Amino acid sequence: MSIVCYLPAGWMLDHLSFINKSGYNFCHSLEKSAQDCFDNIVIPASSDTNLIHIKSCTKKFIDEFRNSGEKSNQMVKRTYLFREDFFNVLKPHIPASFQTEKHSGTNLETSKCEQQKNDDNKSVITVKAKKKRKRSSELNHGESDILDYHLKISGIILDGSRWLIQEARRNGFLQPNPTDQFYVKTSDRGHNNCSLAELCEMAKCFVPMKEKEQKCVIDKETSDPEQVQLICVTENNTNNAKMLTLMGQNYLFPPRSSFLLSDFSCMQPLLNYKKKYGIIVIDPPWENKSVKRSNRYGFLSHWQIKEIPVPALAAPNCLVVTWVTNRQKHLQFVKNELYPHWSIYGVVEWFWVKITKSGEFVIPLDSLHKKPYEILVLGRVQGNTDIPLRLSEDEKFSAIPDQKLIVSVPCTLHSHKPPLSEILKEYTKPDVECLELFARNLQPGWTSWGNEVLKFQHLDYFTVLQDNDD
């Protein structure tokens, strides 16, 4: 379970635990393990006689094992774990002392902000803080909108987070920080993998496949690495993780999951997959100044996002969840244009609150720039609006509550969102088909799509726990 605790305010999640309980067990034969050991024995140029004898004995053992008949079927299970250091958020990214307000992360106390207008009708924010001089700064229109929104929800986030953090401390999930520890952003060791986005561009030159060829199924419990077929939905129907090889790089493929590696212009195989989804989670590449400056990834305009074929992918009453940045322009677009365009009703907002391992906000709640939370917009697909919505008793769903919190220690890798599976299942029917759009990692039981859909499945992000004989 990734849910540490649940209260009326929302949920405390353990993101790392969810990944590592996803079933990253990889089976391989003992014969192959012995051969690997043999191949890894290195004899120096001086060729010590004893080392040569060791290698000779090992070779003899492998030959005997190959001829042992029944024993050659023995398998070894190797368990992979996502690297814990990617969740090693010990201190806030921006210390409270850097803010004009006094903010205690441990007690989650915050000062009050007041907005006033000057003679030129320009927005001015004045922050009250004890024993500190008042400081004011002019805000542009976008910043003023963010401030107005923040003032409406900050109390909900502050109070709800406090209760969830207290409960998480009671059960030992969050621990006080030693005074000598500090925040260190872990480097992304996955940088050496091939550019998945560029690979999608290359795949557009391939000859289009027939509809029946647009699915690749892995259903055998073998230990051999599987080759990824581009512009094709790939399924892992086994109960173990599989190793995928793509452009010489290895990726872990969780059990009972599927994915399509393609970009916005090549979604047809997903539509031909002929599945209707009861949950669709979307994390669009929103346009913003930071993305433009860093050139971290390409972004889509609002009209391009509206072209995503969500209605064609959604089952009746599908629960749609869209991640939105704190920019009010994007939030209003989702609520007032995108969801009406997709015939989504019952729209509510949730908040993902990011904390350190000791329970502090990763950024002070009243920071004048970045915020320690992100927004999720949820609603249900109406389907055919010409037909009255009628649900049988077994199809009725719980109403989606408004302004719930999801509190967790975030992954230090950019845009690695917390898992929503165990939270959302309360609002859908059992065994529902789930889809994530613009995904960068895979989940058991889900179909994932995106031009970097395998990014965080790269083997560099994992460590080997142990080998166990079956």
Side-chain angles (χ1 to χ4, degrees), residues 90-101:
L90 304 175
K91 286 289 186 181
H93 303 359
I94 303 176
S97 59
F98 288 0
Q99 300 296 312
T100 57
E101 73 273 22

Side-chain angles (χ1 to χ4, degrees), residues 52 125 141 143 157 222 256 276 285 290 304:
I52 295 176
I125 178 172
H141 181 70
E143 292 170 334
I157 291 176
T222 66
R256 303 294 169 184
K276 296 291 185 178
S290 175
Q304 288 175 309

Side-chain angles (χ1 to χ4, degrees), residues 44 69 156 167 204 224 307 318 326 336 354 360 367 369 430:
I156 296 169
E167 184 64 23
K204 293 178 184 179
D224 299 328
E307 293 301 310
C318 169
N326 288 321
N336 300 331
K354 309 172 194 178
E360 303 175 80
S367 167
H369 300 287

Side-chain angles (χ1 to χ4, degrees), residues 369-393:
H369 300 287
K370 292 185 177 181
K371 303 296 182 186
Y373 57 82
E374 292 185 34
I375 305 167
L376 303 85
V377 183
L378 299 86
R380 293 194 189 280
V381 174
Q382 174 75 46
N384 190 343
T385 55
D386 296 332
I387 301 175
L389 181 63
R390 294 178 181 176
L391 299 176
S392 62
E393 289 298 324

Side-chain angles (χ1 to χ4, degrees), residues 18-88:
F18 174 84
I19 298 175
N20 288 336
K21 290 182 179 179
S22 294
Y24 287 105
N25 298 316
F26 179 70
C27 291
H28 57 281
S29 66
L30 183 58
E31 177 181 344
K32 186 173 181 180
S33 295
Q35 183 67 56
D36 287 344
C37 293
F38 174 76
D39 291 340
N40 287 331
I41 296 177
V42 179
I43 299 179
S46 57
S47 299
D48 183 271
T49 303
N50 291 331
L51 289 175
I52 295 176
H53 177 69
I54 291 172
K55 192 161 187 177
S56 175
C57 292
T58 305
K59 180 69 166 60
K60 182 179 179 181
F61 165 75
I62 293 174
D63 291 339
E64 291 176 352
F65 182 80
R66 284 173 174 166
N67 297 325
S68 62
E70 183 178 345
K71 290 183 180 179
S72 64
N73 294 324
Q74 187 174 359
M75 301 291 287
V76 171
K77 181 177 290 185
R78 174 169 290 177
T79 301
Y80 289 90
L81 296 179
F82 200 78
R83 286 170 47 194
E84 185 176 358
D85 50 315
F86 286 123
F87 289 88
N88 203 27

Side-chain angles (χ1 to χ4, degrees), residues 287-333:
E287 177 184 358
N288 62 56
K289 293 179 181 179
S290 175
V291 170
K292 286 183 176 180
R293 286 195 300 265
S294 64
N295 198 26
R296 185 182 289 118
Y297 58 81
F299 55 84
L300 296 182
S301 65
H302 284 181
W303 71 265
Q304 288 175 309
I305 293 174
K306 288 176 71 172
E307 293 301 310
I308 300 171
V310 166
L313 295 166
N317 303 296
C318 169
L319 177 58
V320 178
V321 183
T322 303
W323 290 93
V324 187
T325 67
N326 288 321
R327 190 176 178 184
Q328 290 300 293
K329 176 182 178 181
H330 299 322
L331 178 60
Q332 295 306 315
F333 162 72

Side-chain angles (χ1 to χ4, degrees), residues 303-465:
W303 71 265
Q304 288 175 309
I305 293 174
K306 288 176 71 172
E307 293 301 310
I308 300 171
V310 166
L313 295 166
N317 303 296
C318 169
L319 177 58
V320 178
V321 183
T322 303
W323 290 93
V324 187
T325 67
N326 288 321
R327 190 176 178 184
Q328 290 300 293
K329 176 182 178 181
H330 299 322
L331 178 60
Q332 295 306 315
F333 162 72
V334 171
K335 295 172 64 177
N336 300 331
E337 290 188 52
L338 185 63
Y339 276 15
H341 178 71
W342 286 342
S343 298
I344 294 177
Y345 67 99
V347 178
V348 298
E349 296 173 26
W350 288 4
F351 309 99
W352 173 34
V353 183
K354 309 172 194 178
I355 60 170
T356 68
K357 296 178 76 170
S358 62
E360 303 175 80
F361 289 132
V362 294
I363 296 172
L365 184 59
D366 282 329
S367 167
L368 301 180
H369 300 287
K370 292 185 177 181
K371 303 296 182 186
Y373 57 82
E374 292 185 34
I375 305 167
L376 303 85
V377 183
L378 299 86
R380 293 194 189 280
V381 174
Q382 174 75 46
N384 190 343
T385 55
D386 296 332
I387 301 175
L389 181 63
R390 294 178 181 176
L391 299 176
S392 62
E393 289 298 324
D394 60 345
E395 290 179 322
K396 291 182 178 178
F397 305 106
S398 301
I400 308 172
D402 195 12
Q403 297 184 323
K404 286 280 191 176
L405 305 186
I406 299 171
V407 182
S408 72
V409 177
C411 182
T412 58
L413 299 172
H414 176 72
S415 198
H416 202 306
K417 296 295 196 297
L420 303 176
S421 302
E422 293 174 7
I423 294 175
L424 298 180
K425 68 182 181 181
E426 179 181 347
Y427 307 103
T428 60
K429 58 184 179 182
D431 302 321
V432 67
E433 296 283 354
C434 303
L435 171 67
E436 183 174 6
L437 301 176
F438 302 101
R440 291 184 173 182
N441 60 282
L442 309 180
Q443 300 182 58
W446 284 62
T447 300
S448 303
W449 167 83
N451 67 347
E452 292 187 312
V453 71
L454 295 176
K455 181 177 178 64
F456 297 133
Q457 301 302 133
H458 193 278
L459 206 59
D460 278 357
Y461 294 111
F462 294 82
T463 58
V464 178
L465 175 62

